[in-house]
Amino acid sequence: MTRISSMTLLAFALSGLLGLGSALAVEAVEGTAKADKLEQCVEPTSVMRRNHFEFIKHQRDLTVRQGIRGSKHSLAGCVDCHARKDSGGKFVPVNAEGQFCDACHDYAAVSLKCFECHSTVPGEK
Ligand code: HEC
Ligand code: HEC
Ligand code: HEC
């Protein structure tokens, strides 16, 4: 509790200092995700919008057992390319409030269990 409220205070103080809007969520800096510098997702954007979850389901045990990490549809890959950093250069979890894997889901009322096991930042298991 104490930790959360001091973090909140710090976020307030920082956003005040930097003159940013009312931001309680961690501030990820636009342009710091690899995806921000690229034109294309692993599939055309329209396809990703509609079907991204089909690509990353635990559909078949085979897929999981053989390991598709490193393939273009790996969940670790999504995180690696879509995660942004905060102003201190630290990765902000992709599912944090307002971040890439949260914004639409919040809107669509989708709640992901994936990140109970999978890393929300690049470079971790
Ligand atoms: C109970 C833990 C658990 C949950 C929850 C879970 N996974 Fe996994 N997942 C694993 C394990 C263990 C592996 C195999 C080890 C690895 O490759 O990281 C794996 C592998 C994968 C892979 C292949 C490796 C990679 O990085 O792409 C994908 C894709 C994947 N999971 C997607 C998902 C998605 C999407 C969700 C949510 C809908 C999800 N997982 C939820 C445990 C979990
Ligand atoms: C190599 C970098 C890269 C990887 C890996 C990647 N993406 Fe993307 N993704 C992008 C870029 C760049 C865009 C924006 C394309 C555009 O503006 O048309 C994008 C767009 C998207 C969109 C559409 C967003 C919108 O605003 O409509 C979704 C959804 C998406 N990606 C999900 C995923 C998922 C899920 C994975 C993992 C299977 C993934 N991406 C892997 C770079 C990547
Ligand atoms: C452009 C908006 C958008 C973005 C960005 C986005 N999603 Fe989604 N996602 C959706 C929508 C909408 C659904 C629900 C689709 C449905 O149920 O028909 C969904 C569903 C999912 C599901 C299936 C959930 C379930 O319970 O079946 C997974 C898994 C998923 N998204 C993973 C991701 C990951 C991982 C990212 C970030 C790399 C991401 N999404 C980014 C819009 C988005």
Side-chain angles (χ1 to χ4, degrees), residues 34-42 45 48-49 52-53 55-56 72-75 77-82 100 104:
K34 283 182 195 167
D36 292 338
K37 299 168 191 110
L38 299 171
E39 297 289 316
Q40 265 273 30
C41 195
V42 289
T45 300
M48 287 312 282
R49 255 175 222 155
H52 61 279
F53 37 89
F55 299 137
I56 50 174
K72 67 176 187 166
H73 294 149
S74 96
L75 179 58
C78 324
V79 172
D80 187 59
C81 202
H82 281 289
F100 189 75
C104 299

Side-chain angles (χ1 to χ4, degrees), residues 15-94:
S15 57
L17 273 176
L18 299 172
L20 301 171
S22 63
L24 282 179
V26 199
E27 287 293 341
V29 181
E30 222 179 308
T32 52
K34 283 182 195 167
D36 292 338
K37 299 168 191 110
L38 299 171
E39 297 289 316
Q40 265 273 30
C41 195
V42 289
E43 300 290 343
T45 300
S46 57
V47 173
M48 287 312 282
R49 255 175 222 155
R50 272 181 282 116
N51 299 331
H52 61 279
F53 37 89
E54 299 295 341
F55 299 137
I56 50 174
K57 268 191 207 154
H58 282 196
Q59 309 109 317
R60 283 166 217 102
D61 287 346
L62 194 69
T63 318
V64 173
R65 234 182 301 120
Q66 290 182 340
I68 54 168
R69 212 186 354 254
S71 89
K72 67 176 187 166
H73 294 149
S74 96
L75 179 58
C78 324
V79 172
D80 187 59
C81 202
H82 281 289
R84 283 181 172 161
K85 295 176 181 174
D86 63 19
S87 51
K90 224 172 144 265
F91 279 111
V92 177
V94 281

